[in-house]
Amino acid sequence: MMTNKRISIDALAVNDAAEMATIAQLAHSHPMSEQTIKSCFGHLYCVSGIYCGGVLAGFAIVHQIFEEASLMDICIAPHYQGKGLGKALLVHVIENIKHQHAQVLRLEVRASSKGAQQLYSNCGFKQTGIRTGYYKTAMLEHNGQQISGVEDAVLMQLDIN
């Protein structure tokens, strides 16, 4: 657990899922449902929350099988963004999976999310590929018709030393 006067990082439990879903709805255009978040509390998952002044400000969900870990979601409530909480939470995740003997941490990020990509790069992640049309986007209008938009996912990986 990481702590200072105002910020702490701790494990979350399934009873935190509703609050996590609320944060995800505020921060993501296509958030996981509360039910999906609840399904992420099991022996293959590590779910951490970052608190600011005792208030849950964000969370990270990691799925790990043997030496391979995947960052399923990292989410900071909009009014807490830009304060270094995302980086603090990501560093915590990396340290935690090192203790769990992971050799690699993988993630997918929206191609339009340049700030997140920069954060990951600054923490040592390298781009490993693209998944074309992976994410849904807002409905678009084209020639008077509503069409569902899609966006590429950038695949990134951190090799753990």
Side-chain angles (χ1 to χ4, degrees):
M1 179 167 116
M2 172 228 157
T3 60
N4 72 21
K5 293 178 192 173
R6 300 215 24 145
I7 296 174
S8 63
I9 299 175
D10 207 353
L12 295 178
V14 71
N15 61 342
D16 295 308
E19 192 172 4
M20 293 167 65
T22 298
I23 291 169
Q25 287 173 347
L26 294 170
H28 294 322
S29 62
H30 291 79
M32 283 194 271
S33 68
E34 182 178 341
Q35 193 59 38
T36 300
I37 291 171
K38 284 181 179 180
S39 74
C40 294
F41 288 91
H43 73 283
L44 297 177
Y45 291 90
C46 179
V47 183
S48 302
I50 188 161
Y51 292 86
C52 187
V55 175
L56 183 63
F59 63 89
I61 301 171
V62 176
H63 180 254
Q64 184 173 342
I65 298 177
F66 300 110
E67 69 281 348
E68 294 186 15
S70 297
L71 183 60
M72 306 302 292
D73 196 1
I74 187 166
C75 183
I76 302 295
H79 55 282
Y80 289 105
Q81 292 177 5
K83 301 177 188 326
L85 298 179
K87 182 175 183 179
L89 187 54
L90 182 59
V91 168
H92 171 82
V93 163
I94 294 167
E95 289 303 313
N96 191 50
I97 66 164
K98 283 181 184 179
H99 293 294
Q100 299 300 320
H101 308 292
Q103 295 177 6
V104 64
L105 177 59
R106 293 187 176 102
L107 60 85
E108 299 156 349
V109 60
R110 288 180 180 272
S112 64
S113 190
K114 300 300 183 191
Q117 290 175 50
Q118 186 64 48
L119 169 63
Y120 298 136
S121 292
N122 289 346
C123 288
F125 284 79
K126 304 291 184 211
Q127 182 176 331
T128 59
I130 300 285
R131 285 201 177 132
T132 304
Y134 182 73
Y135 288 110
K136 292 181 183 178
T137 62
M139 296 294 283
L140 304 172
E141 187 170 326
H142 180 69
N143 294 332
Q145 292 184 315
Q146 292 287 327
I147 57 172
S148 181
V150 293
E151 179 177 5
D152 295 345
V154 175
L155 307 177
M156 301 184 84
Q157 176 174 310
L158 176 67
D159 295 318
I160 307 297
N161 300 347

